[in-house]
Amino acid sequence: MKIGLVLEGGAMRGMYTAGVLDVFLDENIKVDGIIGVSAGVLFGVNLLSKQRGRVIRYNKKYAKDKRYMGMRSLIKTGNIINNEFAYYEVPKKLDKFDEETFEKSDTDFYATVTNVETGEAEYIKVKNAFEQMELLRATSAMPYVSKIVEYENKKYLDGGIADSIPVEKCKELGYDKIIVVLTRPIEYRKKKPNKLIAKMIYRKLPNLVKTINNRYINYNNSVEKVIELEKDKEIFVIRPSKTIKIKRIERDPEKLQEMYNLGIEDGKSRMKELKEYIGE
């Protein structure tokens, strides 16, 4: 039996995922493969490096740091998340990512990205986080507030644009039991966007425009499919048990802690059911 784990993105809502995954570390929950999206990738790698508490620690420490994220970075670099600081200085110097432990893991880890030429999702295996840091940047490059990222001669943006909850891909890869960690409560649905914005910003990328403008439909359909599969006990879902108002680029450490704490609470409260589902 192969166990797969799907991690939704959501920028700083990903503190919820960080809390859930830290409970996984506490309970020694092991999976055979992970497919992450955006923040689900950035924070999910710490499950395999076994660095409990790292995600909430560095995000709280640097949330208000002008070098990390915000309008200053967007104006100066074209990216709301500062590339050099967030993706290179923090994991390599300030709060080191344990690449050695990550590489020793026998769990396959896939990052979801959106190809801006085709508008389709691609799923690329992460073998070395440092060597593939541009891939990690690509999966989390939010539209409108990030530059397009080039990786291995292709151009990408945030994986959530094309596939926010890649359960179908997880099934396609042959996982028998699938755990899904979402960052929105069960009642959340995306609303129809202003379609002119994508057309103006990405007018030279018609397939990307189409995918962005249809994202709300695809996302909402994915949510309904997840609920259906969950009812049929084909997958196991952990999602926020309540709504916490948190910005995508949240700079309030207390809000980050609140979202993380909810992940801890929900992870613990569902642990017995989860172990029964995976046969422990």
Side-chain angles (χ1 to χ4, degrees):
M1 182 182 71
K2 291 176 64 180
I3 301 172
L5 175 62
V6 174
L7 303 175
E8 185 184 12
M12 288 305 164
R13 291 197 315 275
M15 289 302 112
Y16 179 82
T17 302
V20 172
L21 297 185
D22 280 352
V23 175
F24 281 23
L25 284 172
D26 292 341
E27 297 288 337
N28 199 30
I29 298 298
K30 299 195 180 296
V31 298
D32 299 291
I34 300 172
I35 304 180
V37 182
S38 193
V41 174
L42 299 184
F43 302 155
V45 291
N46 294 274
L47 177 65
L48 302 190
S49 67
K50 299 181 180 180
Q51 289 176 279
R52 191 193 191 285
R54 179 176 177 269
V55 174
I56 187 63
R57 180 176 66 239
Y58 77 75
N59 276 285
K60 283 181 67 178
K61 184 173 183 178
Y62 298 112
K64 293 185 177 181
D65 194 315
K66 292 179 181 179
R67 296 172 296 172
Y68 189 30
M69 59 185 177
M71 290 305 297
R72 182 172 180 268
S73 177
L74 182 61
I75 293 167
K76 289 186 70 175
T77 71
N79 294 293
I80 200 161
I81 305 294
N82 187 285
N83 294 341
E84 288 303 316
F85 186 77
Y87 294 94
Y88 291 94
E89 192 166 349
V90 170
K92 289 189 174 184
K93 297 178 181 179
L94 301 178
D95 197 323
K96 291 184 179 180
F97 176 71
D98 189 346
E99 175 62 40
E100 184 178 353
T101 299
F102 176 83
E103 283 190 62
K104 285 180 180 177
S105 170
D106 56 2
T107 300
D108 292 332
F109 195 104
Y110 296 87
T112 307
V113 288
T114 300
N115 184 313
V116 300
E117 300 286 350
T118 66
E120 299 291 329
E122 295 181 15
Y123 313 88
I124 303 173
K125 187 179 287 189
V126 182
K127 297 179 180 178
N128 183 301
F130 286 151
E131 291 179 2
Q132 294 176 276
M133 193 59 75
E134 290 304 287
L135 171 61
L136 271 63
R137 278 214 310 122
T139 186
S140 55
M142 295 179 284
Y144 310 133
V145 292
S146 306
K147 288 182 178 179
I148 291 169
V149 179
E150 188 166 324
Y151 178 75
E152 295 188 343
N153 300 315
K154 291 185 180 181
K155 295 178 179 180
Y156 298 109
L157 279 175
D158 193 315
I161 299 169
D163 193 355
S164 295
I165 312 172
V167 170
E168 291 304 315
K169 183 62 181 181
C170 197
K171 291 168 69 176
E172 182 185 311
L173 288 170
Y175 294 101
D176 309 292
K177 297 279 188 175
I178 299 175
I179 306 164
V180 183
V181 180
L182 303 179
T183 57
R184 296 279 197 184
I186 194 167
E187 66 273 10
Y188 176 80
R189 299 293 183 278
K190 286 192 180 296
K191 296 179 181 178
K192 185 177 181 179
N194 182 337
K195 295 191 173 184
L196 292 177
I197 298 175
K199 287 181 180 179
M200 287 191 299
I201 303 295
Y202 301 116
R203 57 188 177 276
K204 294 181 180 179
L205 297 165
N207 291 325
L208 177 64
V209 170
K210 183 178 179 181
T211 300
I212 289 174
N213 285 336
N214 287 333
R215 185 186 180 191
Y216 78 106
I217 298 172
N218 295 329
Y219 179 86
N220 294 343
N221 287 342
S222 292
V223 170
E224 296 297 338
K225 182 65 175 177
V226 163
I227 291 172
E228 180 184 326
L229 291 171
E230 183 182 17
K231 286 180 179 177
D232 292 339
K233 301 187 185 305
E234 291 187 39
I235 63 175
F236 187 92
V237 183
I238 301 176
R239 59 169 67 80
S241 55
K242 64 180 180 181
T243 298
I244 292 177
K245 291 184 178 180
I246 184 170
K247 299 173 184 174
R248 290 182 67 81
I249 304 299
E250 182 60 68
R251 305 189 70 175
D252 182 348
E254 291 185 6
K255 281 287 185 183
L256 299 179
Q257 186 70 54
E258 185 182 8
M259 198 71 182
Y260 173 81
N261 289 347
L262 183 63
I264 292 284
E265 292 166 15
D266 290 349
K268 287 181 176 179
S269 69
R270 302 295 308 285
M271 190 50 57
K272 183 180 178 181
E273 295 172 80
L274 173 58
K275 288 183 176 180
E276 288 174 356
Y277 172 74
I278 61 176
E280 284 197 4

